[in-house]
Amino acid sequence: TELVHRIKASWTGTTDPFFDRYVIQYKVSTDTDYITAGTTSDTFFFISPLVAGTNYDVRVASENELNRRSAFVTSTGHTVSA
């Protein structure tokens, strides 16, 4: 079997009564542009496949039923272990 490298991002849930989903994005720390990994209504998300030994930045925002998005909360410099 092949080993899949991933990051588990987790966060505290929003109190927005009209909450619909979270948007999760990531990038290699030295890159400029973020990639959307996906959306979820949970307070965690696995981002994969990633490259071992590489540093990643992850950010999360919430969106509500009116498609209004919160500011992103960013966590930087996560290294994926081999």
Side-chain angles (χ1 to χ4, degrees):
T1 63
E2 184 177 327
L3 180 63
V4 176
H5 299 288
R6 63 186 184 174
I7 290 175
K8 180 183 180 183
S10 60
W11 54 89
T12 302
T14 181
T15 57
D16 181 345
F18 300 105
F19 167 76
D20 186 44
R21 65 190 165 272
Y22 295 103
V23 177
I24 301 88
Q25 297 183 338
Y26 74 101
K27 69 179 185 76
V28 172
S29 294
T30 56
D31 288 352
T32 304
D33 298 326
Y34 279 86
I35 299 164
T36 299
T39 62
T40 185
S41 58
D42 291 323
T43 55
F44 68 91
F45 190 88
F46 289 97
I47 301 168
S48 68
L50 302 174
V51 178
T54 302
N55 289 327
Y56 290 92
D57 299 342
V58 177
R59 66 184 190 177
V60 177
S62 64
E63 288 185 346
N64 66 20
E65 295 169 346
L66 305 172
N67 286 325
R68 294 189 181 241
R69 183 181 287 182
S70 71
F72 277 96
V73 175
T74 304
S75 183
T76 60
H78 297 280
T79 303
V80 176
S81 300

